[in-house]
Every structure is written in structure tokens, then in C-alpha cells.
Amino acid sequence: MAFYSKYILPRLIDLAMKNPATTECRSRIIPRATGRVLDVGIGSGLNLRFYGPRVTRLWGIDPSSELLEMARPKLKRVPFPVELLAHSAEEISLPQGSIDTIVLTWTLCSIPNPIQALRELRRVLRAGGQVVFAEHGLSSEPGVQAWQKRLNPVWRRIAGGCNMNRKIDDLLSAGGFNAVELSTSYFPGPRILTYTFQGLAV
Ligand SMILES: C[S@@+](CC[C@H](N)C(=O)[O-])C[C@H]1O[C@@H](n2cnc3c(N)ncnc32)[C@H](O)[C@@H]1O
């Protein structure tokens, strides 16, 4: 399992996360980030090329040193300072109120304690700051939900702790955020994995 987690899984995550639908979504939502940005679970850095000129500085956190190493070469093409930190979102070494925009793309599914992480994100976000998010989770269709609940235990084991049955809007509320913009839709692919919540929370 250690070989799989260290050598295979990071490459599978990178491949899976750069499909045309997620890339199109990144190109639409990531330019909304402004100021000091925290990209949570930055993974292999696939958001980096979509940040616009209003970003002044970026911190990318991820507990996977393998994925952070895959992100590092992409920093050469980014016109603002970036710091990559091997951190879990549940405990972030940034001061209170130090971030203007939090970016969450397909990350809340994998965080072991998402409520604790969201509370920590709320701590580092300045008053009036924003959360830009695109996350997959629990479908609105009971038939799909049933399969998500059935298959989640196996999926979580092979997919690096990813959960397919989290209700993202409820998680955001429980973590102290208010989704002021929210749309849901299926992306191309198996419905159990592609029901996506996109929007802006404050
Ligand atoms: C499906 S990948 C998405 C990566 C990236 N956000 C993207 O859009 O391509 C999920 C990411 O969450 C990260 N992750 C897992 N547990 C985490 C935690 N406790 N805190 C922060 N990130 C975490 C994983 O290492 C992985 O990079």
C-alpha cells in the first residue's frame, strides 16, 4: 500500500484531475481569486496557470509531498510569489485573517476532518474574504446517492481517502461559511463521482 500511495496514487490523481471538464471549470472559477490566496490541497498545482493578475501572493498547502513536488516545476511560470507547505488543512501555520481568497477544488472530499479544516480556513480568512470552490459530492438523486453510500468505503481505500458522498453545501455551512453562489451539475463521467458543487462562499 505504501508503494501505491507514494508512486502510483499521486500520478493517478494528477491524471484524473486534468480532464477537459475540470480544466474548463478551473479556467472559469480560478481567475476570481484576488489578493493573498490560499489554495487548499493544491495537489499537482493544476490551478496555478489560471490565477489572474489580481493575485499578489499564494500559499499552496497539501499533506502529500509527492504531489507538492509535481506542483513545483509549475511555479516557474507564475508571476507572483508562491509558498508550498506540507500542511493539512486542519492545522494551518498562517496568522488569523491573513488570506483574502481561499480556493477549494476537489479537496474537501479527501480531508479527514472537513469541519475542523473549514473552521481553520475561517480563522485564516480575513473578514470580507471569499472562498472559491468546485467540489464533487453527494448527488441530489436518491438512486445515485444509494450507490455513493454503498461504494464509498471501497472507493475511499483505493482513492487516497476521497469520499464520494459528502454534501458540500452542508459542510460549508457547518464550517461557518455561507454559499452566496452555488450551482450543481454532473460533469462527464460516472454519476457517483461527478456531481459537482461550484460557487462562492463568504
Ligand atoms: C483530488 S485531489 C485535488 C487536488 C487539487 N486541489 C486539484 O484541484 O487538482 C485532493 C487533494 O487533497 C489533498 N488532501 C488530502 N488530505 C488533505 C488535508 N488534510 N488537507 C489538505 N489537503 C488534503 C490531497 O493530497 C490531494 O492533493
Side-chain angles (χ1 to χ4, degrees):
M1 203 65 180
F3 181 85
Y4 174 74
S5 308
K6 194 169 166 58
Y7 297 104
I8 312 277
L9 190 61
R11 279 157 189 84
L12 288 180
I13 289 176
D14 178 55
L15 265 180
M17 297 317 302
K18 58 185 177 201
N19 66 68
T22 54
T23 303
E24 185 281 328
C25 178
R26 293 180 203 281
S27 73
R28 234 176 334 95
I29 67 166
I30 299 302
R32 301 185 75 174
T34 60
R36 295 158 300 171
V37 176
L38 175 61
D39 191 323
V40 183
I42 189 168
S44 58
L46 296 171
N47 289 334
L48 284 167
R49 71 182 166 111
F50 296 109
Y51 285 108
R54 293 180 301 163
V55 174
T56 53
R57 189 180 175 98
L58 185 137
W59 289 265
I61 61 168
D62 203 294
S64 164
S65 50
E66 291 81 17
L67 282 163
L68 289 178
E69 281 317 304
M70 292 168 82
R72 210 167 286 288
K74 301 184 179 82
L75 302 186
K76 287 187 209 119
R77 295 188 292 273
V78 174
F80 44 79
V82 179
E83 200 173 334
L84 297 179
L85 302 167
H87 269 17
S88 289
E90 291 95 332
E91 198 177 342
I92 304 170
S93 68
L94 291 171
Q96 182 170 345
S98 58
I99 294 295
D100 300 300
T101 303
I102 286 171
V103 171
L104 283 164
T105 54
W106 297 281
T107 291
L108 275 178
C109 58
S110 301
I111 295 180
N113 189 336
I115 301 290
Q116 190 184 325
L118 286 163
R119 292 196 180 129
E120 184 65 346
L121 295 177
R122 203 170 155 213
R123 181 187 69 76
V124 299
L125 189 65
R126 73 163 167 80
Q130 58 172 353
V131 182
V132 174
F133 64 90
E135 292 283 346
H136 76 106
L138 189 68
S139 165
S140 57
E141 291 183 273
V144 179
Q145 283 184 5
W147 278 106
Q148 288 179 310
K149 287 176 184 162
R150 212 169 281 146
L151 293 177
N152 196 59
V154 178
W155 174 249
R156 195 170 47 212
R157 281 180 64 84
I158 57 174
C162 170
N163 293 274
M164 57 171 89
N165 61 351
R166 289 187 173 169
K167 196 164 181 309
I168 300 300
D169 47 352
D170 287 355
L171 274 185
L172 287 168
S173 308
F177 290 100
N178 179 20
V180 289
E181 286 176 31
L182 175 65
S183 68
T184 52
S185 61
Y186 289 105
F187 278 24
R191 293 191 149 210
I192 52 171
L193 292 176
T194 60
Y195 190 77
T196 305
F197 300 73
Q198 298 175 55
L200 198 73
V202 293

